[in-house]
């Protein structure tokens, strides 16, 4: 039901938690062009885990997973997740 999904999306995205607006340490950066990131957290407790995820044109696969400090992630993504964990007083 489109109305139900729209209501759920509105609830989930109503209260974003801004994590960081920054230059990103990214291997694609050059002297003339660089990556800037706005990292925002939408927490599971807000109903995100009720969505059925599907990969799109930018991903082969997608799924929910537990995160921890030992993950090897791309560019500055580890730092962003560390900040999210700290914000929620979660183990990293």
């Amino acid at each position: 039901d489109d109305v139900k999904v729209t209501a759920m999306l509105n609830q989930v995205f109503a209260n974003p938690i801004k994590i960081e607006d920054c230059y990103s340490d990214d291997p694609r950066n050059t002297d003339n062009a660089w990556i800037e990131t706005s990292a925002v957290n939408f927490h599971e407790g807000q109903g995100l885990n009720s969505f059925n995820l599907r990969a799109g044109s930018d991903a082969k696969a997608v799924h929910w997973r537990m995160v921890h400090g030992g993950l090897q992630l791309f560019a500055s993504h580890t730092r962003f997740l560390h900040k999210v964990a700290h914000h929620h007083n979660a183990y990293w």
Side-chain angles (χ1 to χ4, degrees), residues 1-53:
D1 178 38
D2 288 345
V3 173
K4 182 178 178 182
V5 171
T6 299
M8 288 173 62
L9 285 171
N10 287 338
Q11 179 183 0
V12 166
F13 293 112
N15 298 305
I17 301 164
K18 184 183 274 189
I19 299 302
E20 189 170 347
D21 280 324
C22 64
Y23 158 87
S24 291
D25 185 18
D26 189 292
R28 298 170 291 181
N29 290 342
T30 69
D31 290 341
N32 301 317
W34 52 89
I35 306 296
E36 294 184 6
T37 300
S38 294
V40 180
N41 174 231
F42 297 96
H43 198 64
E44 176 185 345
Q46 296 171 308
L48 283 176
N49 59 352
S50 63
F51 288 97
N52 183 18
L53 302 176

Side-chain angles (χ1 to χ4, degrees), residues 65-77:
R65 69 182 291 182
M66 298 294 288
V67 297
H68 55 82
L71 292 175
Q72 297 296 313
L73 301 173
F74 186 74
S76 302
H77 297 171

